[in-house]
Amino acid sequence: MTAEIIDGKKIASEVKKELKGRIGKLIDSGIEPSLIAVLVGDDPVSKQYVNMKHKACAKLGIKSRIVTLPESTSESKLLDLIGYFNQDNTVHGILVQLPLPDHINQLKINLAVDVNKDVDGFHPANLGKMLLGKPSFIPATPLGIMELLNRSGNNPEGKHTVILGRGELVGRPLSVLISLKSNGANSTVTLCHSGTKELGHFTKQADILVCAMGRAEMISADMIKPGAVVIDSGTTAVDDSTSEKGYRIAGDVDFESASEVAGYITPVPGGVGPMTIAMLLANTVSAAEKLAGKSDER
Ligand code: GUN
């Protein structure tokens, strides 16, 4: 069997095309959707991601600004900056790129972002609403994975989804989202993590296998049920002397062997990554629409 590739770039461009009309309407009514991205430190991978988000905004007509701060920035300075953008009515979305330096308390930062500008969906109030199945900003990567599944004809309803990794950005929120009693979700979930014994025992039972561990190419063909849908959310920088940057981004899945067994598979890059960006843009447009009174109360 050779798996069908789920093309994240193509699906992300469909999502972005749909956003264009909404952005046009906002601009016609005098509102230019706008996003602030805050980057603390100079981690090259974080820098690359923030630049990709910035470029995607520009392409679609969303105003975006990157605020770059040194690694030594104090927590209180970052909190002040967030407070400043919370007050600025021309700013609709605020994202603080993670990870943050160790001296900054991530929870304090997540709590500081205005709930209505929290386009990353990391504020505990938004995470709580998601847990309750109420409308909220949903973290972009799990939301992007839901779109990838549904738009590729792999509705997770009634399927067994096995998620590898309980991280706050992907695995944990996705375990909630994909098990909600709603259209395009309603899946039975197994959440595996570093404490799981005999990982292969669980992965082989997955109709849908979502890998979000951050362990380069660890999932091999023998761990996958024939015909399964494999979603690879891993993004680990591994040394690569043949690359101009000196590193490449590797997924959690050994793509070559896995694609011999799986029914559908996402590549890295070009799978989940473009969807994360598309859903961030969608959340930013929703935030601007909310301010314009054009969408339902969140
Ligand atoms: N770091 C890795 N993924 C993300 C994300 O989706 N949002 C932010 N803010 N930081 C990240």
Side-chain angles (χ1 to χ4, degrees):
M1 179 184 292
T2 303
E4 187 171 315
I5 291 177
I6 301 178
D7 185 344
K9 270 196 201 164
K10 186 163 160 255
I11 297 175
S13 62
E14 281 168 25
V15 172
K16 288 188 274 189
K17 212 164 143 194
E18 290 162 18
L19 289 176
K20 268 194 175 161
R22 288 166 62 189
I23 294 169
K25 276 189 198 155
L26 280 164
I27 291 174
D28 287 348
S29 68
I31 293 166
E32 190 181 15
S34 125
L35 174 72
I36 296 287
V38 182
L39 176 65
V40 184
D42 46 21
D43 174 66
V45 177
S46 288
K47 222 185 236 180
Q48 186 184 342
Y49 288 155
V50 168
N51 282 334
M52 288 195 298
K53 292 171 184 179
H54 179 64
K55 275 190 198 153
C57 281
K59 235 177 149 178
L60 219 62
I62 296 174
K63 189 172 152 193
S64 102
R65 191 176 138 197
I66 303 174
V67 178
T68 308
L69 300 170
E71 178 89 16
S72 60
T73 302
S74 68
E75 185 180 277
S76 65
K77 174 124 194 254
L78 182 56
L79 288 170
D80 284 350
L81 187 79
I82 293 168
Y84 173 80
F85 289 122
N86 281 344
Q87 295 299 318
D88 183 342
N89 288 337
T90 66
V91 169
H92 305 109
I94 302 170
L95 83 82
V96 180
Q97 187 66 22
L98 302 177
L100 285 166
D102 289 344
H103 65 275
I104 297 178
N105 181 325
Q106 189 188 307
L107 177 59
K108 272 196 193 168
I109 301 304
N110 292 345
L111 279 163
V113 174
D114 184 327
V115 182
N116 296 311
K117 298 189 180 189
D118 175 36
V119 288
D120 258 330
F122 295 162
H123 191 295
N126 280 320
L127 290 169
K129 281 185 187 172
M130 183 184 73
L131 192 68
L132 297 170
K134 301 292 177 202
S136 65
F137 286 117
I138 292 169
T141 302
L143 187 56
I145 291 172
M146 296 301 291
E147 289 290 325
L148 267 184
L149 288 169
N150 280 291
R151 289 178 185 248
S152 63
N154 292 295
N155 186 331
E157 287 199 40
K159 303 271 170 59
H160 180 200
T161 299
V162 176
I163 300 171
L164 309 184
R166 60 182 154 193
E168 287 172 24
L169 302 191
V170 187
R172 217 179 310 175
L174 180 66
S175 69
V176 171
L177 200 56
I178 205 164
S179 59
L180 288 175
K181 194 172 181 180
S182 58
N183 288 337
N186 213 17
S187 191
T188 303
V189 172
T190 300
L191 181 60
C192 299
H193 44 72
S194 53
T196 301
K197 293 190 177 108
E198 290 188 52
L199 197 61
H201 169 76
F202 296 98
T203 58
K204 276 185 266 184
Q205 295 176 45
D207 302 316
I208 297 171
L209 180 64
V210 180
C211 305
M213 297 178 297
R215 302 262 212 100
E217 289 151 9
M218 204 194 115
I219 303 302
S220 48
D222 58 319
M223 299 172 82
I224 297 169
K225 179 163 108 172
V229 180
V230 177
I231 305 290
D232 190 351
S233 180
T235 52
T236 305
V238 295
D239 290 342
D240 182 358
S241 57
T242 65
S243 152
E244 205 180 291
K245 297 186 191 110
Y247 68 87
R248 70 182 168 89
I249 300 295
D252 286 352
V253 178
D254 175 17
F255 182 84
E256 222 166 282
S257 75
S259 52
E260 293 297 316
V261 178
Y264 291 82
I265 192 166
T266 60
V268 175
V272 173
M275 290 304 292
T276 296
I277 295 178
M279 301 329 290
L280 169 72
L281 303 181
N283 282 346
T284 304
V285 172
S286 296
E289 284 173 344
K290 190 186 173 219
L291 188 82
K294 283 190 176 164
S295 69
D296 295 341
E297 193 62 25
R298 282 195 182 275

